[in-house]
Amino acid sequence: WWWLDGYVDFSRENAPLAQQGIERWFEWHRATQLPNYAQLLAAVGPEMLEPATPAQVCRWQARVRDALSPSLERAVEIAAELVPTLGEAQLRHIEQRYAKVNDEMRSDFLQPDPAVRLRESIKRTVERAERLYGPLGEPQQRVIAAGVAASPFDPALWLADRQRRQRDTLAILRELVGTQADRDQRLAGLRTLALRLERSPDPGYRAYQARLAEYNCGFAAQIHNAATTEQRRRARDTVKGWEADLRALTATPG
C-alpha cells in the first residue's frame, strides 16, 4: 500500500478499493503461491553445496520466472478493477513519481566518472552475494570485480527502456480511463504492459537482454564456484531459512 500510494496518491474514493485489492492479492498469494515457492527453495537448497554451470543457473531463473507468472496475472486482474477510478491528477502524480525515481536511478547507476560507476556496481554485486554466502574474501571479490568489469550491462540502455515502459504505462492507462474501457479491454491493456516487463517491443533491446541474461548465468555460476565449502553451506542454510519462513507464512491464517 505504501509503495503503490507513493506512485498513485490514492484519493479518499479509490483508496478503499486499492486496499481491498491488495488484501485480496496477498490472501490468494499466501494460500496458493507460497507453497510453490517453498518447494522451489527446497529443491535448490541441496544444489547450493555443488558446483554450478551457466546452463543450470539459466534453468533455475526460468523456473523462477514461471513461478512468478501467476502472481503477475492475478495482480493484473485486480488492477483492472481499479483503473476506471483513476483521475488525471493521479496519472500526473505517477508521471512525477517516475521522474523522481529516474533521477535516483541516474544517481545510483549513471555516475559521470566511469571509475566511480564501476566501483559502485562492484559494491552492489558484492552486497547481493553476501546476502546469500556471507562475508566474501578477497579471492571471491576479485572474481566479482572482473565479472562486473566484463559485463555487457549498459545502465543507459536499461534506463532508456525503463522510461519507454513508463511512457507505455501512462499512455495505456490514459487510453483506458479516457475511453471508459470495459473490463476485457482493461485486462488486454494491462496484460500488454505486463508482457513488456519481460519482453521489450524493441528488437535491439531484446537482443541486448538475451546477451545480458546469458552472461549473468555464467557470472552467477562463477561466483558460486568461487565460494568456499563453508560459504556454500551458509548459502544452503540461508535458502533453507527462506523456505521455512514461507512454510510458516503459509500455515499462518491471513
Side-chain angles (χ1 to χ4, degrees):
W1 162 256
W2 173 85
W3 181 81
L4 281 175
D5 190 45
Y7 274 89
V8 180
D9 191 25
F10 291 110
S11 67
R12 183 175 300 176
E13 290 73 25
N14 59 13
L17 182 62
Q19 290 170 331
Q20 291 164 13
I22 292 169
E23 290 173 3
R24 283 164 46 211
W25 186 89
F26 274 103
E27 288 171 359
W28 166 86
H29 190 258
R30 178 192 298 266
T32 66
Q33 302 304 298
L34 293 191
N36 299 335
Y37 302 162
Q39 289 176 2
L40 273 178
L41 291 173
V44 76
E47 295 190 18
M48 301 304 298
L49 299 177
E50 304 298 330
T53 66
Q56 184 182 18
V57 175
C58 281
R59 284 196 299 271
W60 275 109
Q61 289 182 346
R63 289 187 67 178
V64 170
R65 284 196 301 271
D66 289 345
L68 294 176
S69 291
S71 297
L72 183 57
E73 171 61 21
R74 184 72 170 187
V76 163
E77 293 171 359
I78 292 174
E81 302 171 9
L82 183 64
V83 166
T85 73
L86 298 177
E88 179 57 31
Q90 291 173 319
L91 296 175
R92 287 198 301 270
H93 193 276
I94 294 173
E95 193 168 19
Q96 292 164 2
R97 179 68 175 176
Y98 280 157
K100 181 177 184 294
V101 172
N102 290 340
D103 286 342
E104 293 170 355
M105 293 293 183
R106 289 188 192 93
S107 177
D108 290 341
F109 291 88
L110 278 167
Q111 297 88 347
D113 185 339
V116 174
R117 189 183 301 180
L118 177 61
R119 184 186 68 213
E120 291 302 309
S121 184
I122 292 170
K123 179 182 176 182
R124 283 192 300 270
T125 307
V126 168
E127 288 174 349
R128 292 187 194 116
E130 288 187 334
R131 292 182 197 136
L132 185 61
Y133 296 99
L136 300 182
E138 187 175 336
Q140 292 100 346
Q141 295 198 29
R142 284 199 299 268
V143 168
I144 288 176
V148 170
S151 172
F153 174 61
D154 185 333
L157 271 180
W158 171 64
L159 182 60
D161 188 72
R162 179 186 179 91
Q163 290 173 303
R164 187 270 311 158
R165 284 188 276 114
Q166 292 167 349
R167 291 192 297 270
D168 283 354
T169 298
L170 288 165
I172 287 177
L173 288 178
R174 283 195 166 103
E175 181 181 1
L176 295 177
V177 172
T179 61
Q180 298 182 337
D182 61 28
R183 185 174 185 276
D184 287 344
Q185 292 169 326
R186 296 195 303 271
L187 284 171
L190 294 179
R191 283 172 179 152
T192 295
L193 291 176
L195 178 63
R196 291 178 182 177
L197 288 174
E198 178 70 22
R199 180 177 170 82
S200 171
D202 178 0
Y205 193 80
R206 289 202 303 273
Y208 158 74
Q209 283 180 306
R211 291 194 307 273
L212 181 60
E214 183 179 5
Y215 180 86
N216 283 340
C217 289
F219 186 28
Q222 283 184 318
I223 294 172
H224 179 76
N225 294 337
T228 65
T229 300
E230 183 56 36
Q231 287 167 335
R232 291 186 192 181
R233 289 196 188 106
R234 165 76 176 263
R236 178 203 57 192
D237 292 345
T238 298
V239 170
K240 287 177 67 176
W242 294 339
E243 178 197 348
D245 288 343
L246 292 178
R247 295 193 187 282
L249 286 168
T250 302
T252 303

